[in-house]
Amino acid sequence: MNNLQLLLAEDDNLLASLLNYRLKKEGYNVSIAANGKEVKEYLSTNIPDIIVSDIMMPYLSGLELIDFVRKDLKYNTPIIIISSAGNEENVLSAFELGANDFIAKPVNPSELIVRVARELNKV
């Protein structure tokens, strides 16, 4: 599992730190983007193996991120969306735009680890 690149797009510093710790413990190389601007900067020079993104972020929402990755960059990178805005409309929009999975907050780090591994094992 080593050397797999994971982009974590999350503007909540505490949650980002917690997930970063657990994901690194599992052997992932994690890059954290705190907002949409940082996501675009990262993606301009890197193609991660998987993206985990919050829906509500400054500069670029998670939905806009999915659209950007699928339509502009044309990457098939698995995308897992996490959000407290777990209303049906956001979930459906995320899947319609090309998200692979959705986790409602509060995120259980162990569940995220399992879902990340599941998405990566499909490839």
Side-chain angles (χ1 to χ4, degrees):
M1 184 174 305
N2 287 354
N3 295 330
L4 287 173
Q5 300 295 322
L6 184 144
L7 174 59
L8 175 61
E10 173 58 65
D11 62 335
D12 177 331
N13 290 337
L14 189 61
L15 180 58
S17 295
L18 171 68
L19 296 179
N20 181 39
Y21 172 78
R22 285 296 306 274
L23 289 161
K24 282 189 171 174
K25 207 170 141 186
E26 291 295 316
Y28 295 101
N29 292 318
V30 180
S31 297
I32 298 175
N35 60 57
K37 210 181 287 183
E38 291 179 13
V39 167
K40 281 191 162 185
E41 285 170 17
Y42 176 87
L43 292 174
S44 70
T45 57
N46 301 279
I47 302 174
D49 293 295
I50 190 163
I51 298 170
V52 177
S53 178
D54 189 8
I55 278 191
M56 305 298 231
M57 280 190 308
Y59 304 112
L60 186 79
S61 74
L63 296 176
E64 291 168 322
L65 165 67
I66 300 165
D67 199 50
F68 176 69
V69 169
R70 296 290 185 248
K71 290 195 178 130
D72 297 345
L73 299 177
K74 300 196 181 343
Y75 292 167
N76 279 332
T77 305
I79 300 173
I80 298 175
I81 291 293
I82 54 176
S83 183
S84 53
N87 68 45
E88 198 174 317
E89 192 178 309
N90 276 343
V91 176
L92 291 174
S93 295
F95 283 123
E96 284 170 6
L97 289 168
N100 298 77
D101 203 351
F102 180 91
I103 302 175
K105 288 182 180 178
V107 177
N108 175 330
S110 298
E111 179 185 358
L112 178 63
I113 302 285
V114 168
R115 288 177 182 243
V116 166
R118 185 182 71 194
E119 285 304 321
L120 290 170
N121 287 331
K122 286 181 183 175
V123 195

